[in-house]
Structure formats: C-alpha cells, structure tokens
Amino acid sequence: MTRVVLGVSGGIAAYKACELLRRFTESGHDVTVVPTAAALEFVGAPTWAALSGKPVATDVWTGVHEVPHVRLGQNADLVVVAPATADLLAKAAHGLADDLLTNTLLTARCPVVLAPAMHTEMWEHPATAANVETLRSRGVLVIEPAEGRLTGADTGKGRLPEPAEIFEYCRDVLSRTETGATLSGDLAGRHVVVSAGGTRERLDPVRFLGNRSSGLQGYALARAAAARGAEVTLVAANSALPDPAGVKVVKVETTAELRDAVLAAAVAADAVVMAAAPADFRPVNESATKIKKSADGSAPSITLQQNPDILHELSTHRPRPEAVIVGFAAETGDDTGSVLELARAKLARKGCDLLVVNDVSGGAVFGAEDNQAVILAADGASVDVPRGSKSAVAHVIWDQVVARMG
C-alpha cells in the first residue's frame, strides 16, 4: 500500500484538502495527515482523523517514542502539501523545522509535491519567487497555482488547483516512481504548448460540425509536462474536463480560434504538441437563425470550405526554428493504404518532427481511458507504444520530444 503524507498549512483553502484526502483514501492509499497549527484554525483535527482513520498531530512531541518527526518522512512514498502557504514555502526553502510538517519535509527522501495557495501579491513577491526557484532546483515539485476567485472579492493567480487535479498530478508522480522513471524535471525551464479536444464549426445558432475527440490525451500530455517541470499552455477546444493543475488553459471553439491561440503561444515554445482534432472544413456561411426542416422533406445544401492546416503551418513556418513540433494522426486505413502507410505519408506532407498515430477503427481511442500508438519520426525512427493509460502514453511522447530538444 502506498504511504502518503498529506500536509496542510494554514490557508483558507485548507478545506479543499478534505476532498484531496478522500480521493487518496478511496483509491487505496494509506494517508497520514499532518496539519500545521494554523491549519487547524480552518479545519479541526477530528475532521482529519475521521477522514484518514488515523490520529492527527502537529507537534513533534505526540508519540515521541516513535520519533514521528523522522519516521513520517523516511517511510513515505509521497509527501504532498495542499495548500502550501507563502510561510510554508519559505520554511521549506530555508530548511526550517519548527513543527511536525516542516520536520517531515526535511526527512523525506520520496517525491515532494507542494500546491501553493495565497493572494496574487504574495505569490508574485520576489521572496516567494526565489523560494519556489530554490525548491524546484532541489527537485521539489511545486505546482503553479490556478487563476480565479481568492478570498473575499479578490481574483487572480494564487488559487489552489482543484483537488481532483492535484490528485491526478500526484497519481502521475507515483506511477512514474513505481515504474522506476526519473522525476528529474527534464522539462524544467521549458515552455510547451499542447492543444486538446475537438473544434466546432457553427452551422447556425444551435448546430455545429464537430468530431468525437474528448481531449483526454491532450489533457494527459499537459498534466505530464507540468509534472516534468514545464511551463505549459493548454489550448483546449470544447472540452468539459477540469483544468490540469499547474497549467495555463486557453479556451477556444473553432479551428480558426485554435490556430490563433496556438500560433500566439508557440512564439515562445520549445515544443508544440497538436493533440487536438481540428475540423477539416467549415461552412462558407453560418445561418443567423436556426435552419428549419422543409415541408417537402428535402435537406438543405451546405457549402463547405477547407480550414487552415495548423500543423503544416507550424511545421513549415516555425515561430521558433528549434522548436519540436508533434502532430497526431487518427487513421482507419482504406483502399489507398494501411494506417501506418497513410500516417507516413501524412508525416512527410505535414513536415512535423514526430507524428503520433492512433488506429481509430470502430471508434477506438475516443473517450477511452487508455490508448496505444505508434510514434513516427521525420528521421525514420518508429516507437511502438503499448496499450496503457493515456498518462503513460503521454510520458512516452514527452520522452521522444525531450530526446530531440536542443
């Protein structure tokens, strides 16, 4: 059983850690909650004890014969602190240890994830920025806070990411640890752009042309890149999925909007992964009113025009010449060639560096939790990705991207 230490520091977002705790325990993890004294002003010890099934302590003297200030960190498979206040970040960066949680952080030799939450001014203060940089340089995984409503009427960057997404981030870290993968942050200092979901082209006020892309693989790619230390911009087309923790999300609807957002973000990107499924065509004219059925049963005629080829444009007119460009190909094969034959022709036609090929015959892949693929490279290399979670597939894709980065 995986042993998780859930640290909770004294911020208003402490109540959200209850949901994070529930997700860990319901998925079979052994969780010990270590709140700070300030955190108990927001959520009491009985709540943590009831949800975790374990007694709760904040000081190093409770159960001193078991040396908790050393044993908790030594025995943990993961330490996650949510929320992590500016004070907690400062103490962790400077090695201070004045309570059970900060002692645990000093003794932990497992992955440590910190999920900051504070007011925007505190997050942007040079002292906090320096503390975060110090922690990341030591291998601590500090999640970028979300943007949104803060305490009172304030809004801005500093909001705790949603507990479900912090949990997915941590589960990703644990799965990589269990398989022996490195957590060295090989994308630290890199900016990557990922597109996800399926675009929609409006026919009238209520109808659109679209496709079956769920966005799951693109979101897994964004989450995986964040876990590897990247600054991530996710351009999401019509996805109902929650924003991944630590990721900047740009919402779009149409292929034209997707193109504009991706090209704008790609100017500063080290890699662009086009996992979205843009509509190939759009109506020449969008009806201003709902298209009605005709009395004689005839269907309306809709004239289509081709949408811009975003992947080809990125590959042939690169905003950054050294950027790695990755495309996706959802193929079924037909009388002109097999899935891989069609994909190799697409790779040559698009001009990208890598092409992730999915066989979608019979609707496979769309909306599924798992995936399998073949990654084709412009240099002739080919990597078979066995069926696994979309998170696992995402990490294989990033391995190939990292290998080609300058």
Side-chain angles (χ1 to χ4, degrees):
M1 182 180 291
T2 303
R3 293 161 296 190
V4 176
V5 172
L6 172 59
V8 186
S9 59
I12 186 62
Y15 76 94
K16 292 185 177 181
C18 296
E19 170 68 13
L20 181 58
L21 171 58
R22 184 185 68 80
R23 288 181 178 273
F24 274 119
T25 55
E26 289 187 356
S27 58
H29 297 83
D30 176 15
V31 186
T32 301
V33 182
V34 183
T36 64
L40 294 180
E41 296 292 328
F42 294 96
V43 181
T47 298
W48 301 121
L51 291 175
S52 68
K54 291 185 176 183
V56 172
T58 64
D59 59 74
V60 299
W61 310 112
T62 303
V64 68
H65 62 288
E66 296 178 344
V67 201
H69 72 290
V70 173
R71 294 288 179 263
L72 281 174
Q74 286 180 333
N75 295 334
D77 298 299
L78 175 73
V79 176
V80 53
V81 182
T85 60
D87 181 67
L88 186 282
L89 294 176
K91 288 179 177 178
H94 290 85
L96 301 181
D98 60 354
D99 61 10
L100 187 56
L101 178 54
T102 48
N103 273 270
T104 299
L105 290 172
L106 275 183
T107 58
R109 295 298 179 266
C110 59
V112 174
V113 175
L114 304 180
M118 63 198 74
H119 267 70
T120 305
E121 295 82 358
M122 300 172 74
W123 173 252
E124 293 177 347
H125 194 282
T128 303
N131 291 332
V132 170
E133 183 179 357
T134 296
L135 290 165
R136 286 174 171 164
S137 71
R138 296 173 184 161
V140 177
L141 301 168
V142 183
I143 303 174
E144 286 288 311
E147 296 185 20
R149 183 72 177 269
L150 305 173
T151 306
D154 293 343
T155 61
K157 188 168 186 177
R159 180 182 174 90
L160 186 73
E162 290 304 312
E165 284 304 310
I166 298 174
F167 173 71
E168 290 299 328
Y169 185 104
C170 291
R171 189 165 69 166
D172 184 274
V173 170
L174 284 169
S175 67
R176 298 193 75 214
T177 304
E178 291 166 359
T179 59
T182 179
L183 291 173
S184 60
D186 53 8
L187 286 173
R190 303 286 195 173
H191 176 210
V192 303
V193 177
V194 178
S195 69
T199 63
R200 296 175 178 177
E201 306 299 336
R202 295 182 287 269
L203 293 169
D204 62 23
V206 298
R207 300 184 182 91
F208 59 85
L209 295 175
N211 58 66
R212 296 179 60 191
S213 178
S214 65
L216 287 170
Q217 186 63 75
Y219 274 64
L221 281 157
R223 190 181 296 115
R228 295 169 79 142
E231 175 189 350
V232 185
T233 298
L234 174 64
V235 182
N238 306 297
S239 176
L241 300 172
D243 293 352
V247 172
K248 177 183 178 181
V249 180
V250 179
K251 303 282 190 180
V252 298
E253 180 181 2
T254 67
T255 298
E257 292 169 356
L258 178 71
R259 173 190 175 274
D260 291 345
V262 168
L263 291 180
V267 171
D270 298 291
V272 181
V273 181
M274 290 294 297
D280 291 327
F281 305 97
R282 69 182 186 275
V284 171
N285 296 303
E286 176 188 348
S287 175
T289 59
K290 181 181 176 182
I291 301 171
K292 302 294 194 298
K293 291 181 179 179
S294 62
D296 61 6
S298 62
S301 177
I302 299 173
T303 303
L304 302 177
Q305 60 185 324
Q306 192 162 296
N307 268 322
D309 189 327
I310 306 171
L311 180 58
H312 182 265
E313 184 175 357
L314 277 171
S315 301
T316 55
H317 305 288
R318 302 191 180 213
R320 293 187 69 188
E322 67 274 22
V324 180
I325 308 297
V326 183
F328 271 65
E331 296 288 354
T332 60
D334 56 31
D335 55 6
T336 66
S338 67
V339 166
L340 285 182
E341 288 170 340
L342 293 173
R344 288 191 180 95
K346 183 174 185 177
L347 174 62
R349 189 170 64 252
K350 299 291 187 179
C352 51
D353 301 297
L354 296 168
L355 189 70
V356 182
V357 186
N358 293 130
D359 185 341
V360 295
S361 301
V365 176
F366 294 118
E369 293 296 327
D370 58 359
N371 196 1
Q372 68 181 70
V374 177
I375 304 174
L376 302 178
D379 59 15
S382 176
V383 177
D384 289 316
V385 186
R387 182 164 297 281
S389 68
K390 289 187 173 177
S391 175
V393 173
H395 280 292
V396 177
I397 294 170
W398 286 121
D399 287 344
Q400 295 302 308
V401 171
V402 170
R404 288 164 173 78
M405 282 181 164

